[in-house]
Amino acid sequence: MRLTVLGCAGSFPGPEAPCSAYLVEADGFRLLVDFGPGSMSTLQRFSGLYNVDAILLTHLHCDHMLDACSYIVARRYAPSGPLPPLPVYAPVAAAERISAAYGGENEPMAISDVYTFYSLQPGSFPIGPFHVTVDRVNHPIETYGVRIEHEGRVLTYSADTAACDQLIRLAQGADLFLCEASYLDGADNPPDLHLTGREAAEHATKAEVGRLLLTHLVPAWGSEALTLEAAQAAFEGPIDIVRPGARYDI
């Protein structure tokens, strides 16, 4: 498998990064996991506008799905003609949410010509060559952490979550653990919303993962240095803070 980071800023685009979007590839198949604001630009830069075979949206907060609205234009009005519907795995209300965000007074609300939606629920299922497992994690709306397996290799993505046992189970023994670290340790952070760098690392240690990638930092009020320092104190393996365009072979 190969992971390409298209966007990694938390909550809103940062000065150097779009919001969450990650391209996972194997056997010529490309799965886009989340599609946050600005990431359609980096999709074109690092992969190609139409080089997507399926989309998985972990939840319906805008910073994880809003470019799925912009992508309707690209697929519906492609110069070569409309493209076939793209499978989208997402929480149950995704079609209505994306339609409402895209549609206007004189535009069709139906988007079934662009996307075919499959509702997520806890469990395992195939997407292309991948064996995918999802489970609900600790966030205010319906949100799924994701475990992606291919030929004995494992990538786990936390999505947005506070501390929870489900995330440890999803990450158990993963080769690569892509985990959010939105908050700074020592701050008065809201409960049941996001992780700190230390908490992300504690989950990585409990799950015995091979490598920890920290994502979803909020540049406007965060600190990469403090987040990394806190994580290194709680996880002995290699740790990176991801950047757009970074690629990891798994």
Side-chain angles (χ1 to χ4, degrees), residues 107-137:
E107 293 176 314
M109 292 296 290
I111 55 175
S112 57
D113 61 315
V114 178
Y115 297 131
T116 300
F117 287 90
Y118 300 90
S119 295
L120 291 175
Q121 57 183 351
S124 299
F125 50 92
I127 302 179
F130 303 114
H131 180 78
V132 177
T133 302
V134 300
D135 202 356
R136 290 283 298 268
V137 290

Side-chain angles (χ1 to χ4, degrees), residues 18 20 26 28-29 40 48 53 55 58 72-74 80 95 101 104 124 127 136 150 165 193 199 203 205 225 227:
S20 297
F29 189 94
M40 190 169 154
D53 296 296
I55 297 173
T58 61
I72 293 172
V73 177
S80 59
S124 299
I127 302 179
R136 290 283 298 268
H150 178 69
D165 290 339
L193 192 60
E199 289 171 329
H203 282 67
T205 296
T227 297

Side-chain angles (χ1 to χ4, degrees), residues 54 65 70 79 90 93 100 129 141-142 148 150-151 164 203 211 222 224 236 240 245:
M65 50 70 68
S70 302
I141 66 169
E142 181 183 2
I148 302 173
H150 178 69
E151 294 186 347
C164 63
H203 282 67
R211 186 175 187 177
E224 288 192 2
E236 295 183 352
D240 291 342

Side-chain angles (χ1 to χ4, degrees), residues 89-239:
Y89 301 81
V92 66
E96 292 78 6
R97 181 69 183 273
I98 294 172
S99 295
Y102 171 78
E105 182 178 353
N106 298 313
E107 293 176 314
M109 292 296 290
I111 55 175
S112 57
D113 61 315
V114 178
Y115 297 131
T116 300
F117 287 90
Y118 300 90
S119 295
L120 291 175
Q121 57 183 351
S124 299
F125 50 92
I127 302 179
F130 303 114
H131 180 78
V132 177
T133 302
V134 300
D135 202 356
R136 290 283 298 268
V137 290
N138 188 7
H139 203 53
I141 66 169
E142 181 183 2
T143 305
Y144 293 90
V146 184
R147 180 183 178 96
I148 302 173
E149 301 178 62
H150 178 69
E151 294 186 347
R153 310 298 285 178
V154 179
L155 164 66
T156 296
Y157 170 45
S158 68
D160 282 8
T161 184
C164 63
D165 290 339
Q166 295 94 317
L167 182 57
I168 297 172
R169 290 195 293 270
L170 286 169
Q172 193 64 50
D175 300 285
L176 206 61
F177 183 28
L178 178 65
C179 189
E180 73 122 283
S182 307
Y183 288 152
L184 293 178
D185 287 285
D188 185 17
N189 299 315
D192 299 319
L193 192 60
H194 290 295
L195 295 169
T196 67
R198 174 185 56 80
E199 289 171 329
E202 288 173 347
H203 282 67
T205 296
K206 290 176 182 177
E208 299 181 309
V209 307
R211 186 175 187 177
L212 175 61
L213 304 182
L214 298 177
T215 191
H216 206 271
L217 280 67
V218 185
W221 55 65
S223 165
E224 288 192 2
L226 292 176
T227 297
L228 183 59
E229 180 182 2
Q232 288 172 332
F235 179 67
E236 295 183 352
I239 304 174

Side-chain angles (χ1 to χ4, degrees), residues 38-57:
S39 62
M40 190 169 154
S41 174
T42 45
L43 173 66
Q44 296 171 75
R45 191 182 315 157
F46 297 111
S47 177
L49 186 59
Y50 300 119
N51 289 341
V52 175
D53 296 296
I55 297 173
L56 191 154
L57 301 176

